[in-house]
Amino acid sequence: MSARTAAAVAFVADPAPAAEAAPLLSVVKGGARVAETRAEVREAVRAARAAGKRIALVPTMGYLHEGHLTLVDRAREVADWVAVSVFVNPLQFGPGEDLARYPRDLPRDVELAFGRGADLVFAPSVEEMYPHGEPRVTVVPEDGMAERLCGASRPGHFRGVLTVVAKLFGTFTPDVAVFGQKDFQQATLIRRMVDDLDLPVAVDVAPTVREADGLALSSRNVYLSADERARALALSRGLRRAAELFAAGETDGGALRAVLRGAMSAPGVEMEYGEVFDARTLAPVARAVPGSVMAVAARVGRTRLIDNAVLA
Ligand code: AMP
């Protein structure tokens, strides 16, 4: 651990001394900062912009892994000043979902983010993000995009996602925001929100990072037992087989779906959906074309996993 990250971790573990030394913005050695309030963020962004920097934001729910960190790498390629937000957003969790047990380790996240070159970590409390309780303004498209796929089994999920992302955009006013293709529907809805509302932010989507055996990295993988971890490969296996079939000339949506669903009809895997759809509208396609998207979701034990791939 470098001196810079050690200082950052110490601040998070015990905010009192650092807060006394720097009441507005907690500055850690090397210039990297941890902010807990929107006011601190605005001040840090104002200073970065005054220095002529292009601002990037990487929104996350923390428990960072290599997938998140490649988004930081990408952000550093396209901007000069990079912020990572770490916020487990209660608005996007439904009743009975894993909000309470969602994995959290802020000191580790701060160390990883700064180790990868982030300039600021924003780790607000729920009260800081939602001082007036749950916002009543909603920006979810009304045409069904948010009700398909993950939206079908997680009612209100994307309303929660788009609300927090809109607020983060309002707080950071980033020039660019980087998201992962791992959450394809989320990224598509965010692009749509930005487009519909003319938000002045470029949305950048980076490829999914996987383990060597194909499992997509996810904070939720920590829930998996060794046995479940092996069963979880059904998702990426189905995507790979269907992609191979498409490459061999099969374009029938039903045939490709059957491959995705077949791979997930395995013991210990409870399929939620296996779909082939249009990348822009998210509506199912009868005939797949290059650029169509395949997505899968399943429960392995108590853990809900998702994955997707774009057909080439
Ligand atoms: P989360 O913390 O799960 O909300 O994810 C935060 C961001 O990281 C989202 O834009 C995700 O799409 C992205 N992300 C999560 N897992 C991966 C992965 N395996 N590869 C690339 N990006 C990812």
Side-chain angles (χ1 to χ4, degrees), residues 59-62 65 67-68 71 102 179-180 182-183 186 207-209 217:
T60 81
M61 295 205 300
H65 52 64
H68 298 115
L71 305 187
Y102 195 84
F179 296 89
K182 162 82 179 359
D183 297 84
Q186 169 175 291
T208 302
V209 177
L217 297 192

Side-chain angles (χ1 to χ4, degrees), residues 196-243:
D196 280 356
L197 301 181
D198 294 312
L199 301 180
V201 52
V203 174
D204 202 287
V205 179
T208 302
V209 177
R210 300 175 180 282
E211 306 273 14
D213 61 6
L215 183 71
L217 297 192
S218 164
S219 304
R220 290 190 166 100
N221 290 352
V222 71
Y223 299 147
L224 299 171
S225 68
D227 180 53
E228 290 168 345
R229 166 77 182 63
R231 294 178 196 282
L233 290 176
L235 282 80
S236 54
R237 194 182 300 127
L239 291 169
R240 200 175 51 242
R241 283 187 189 152

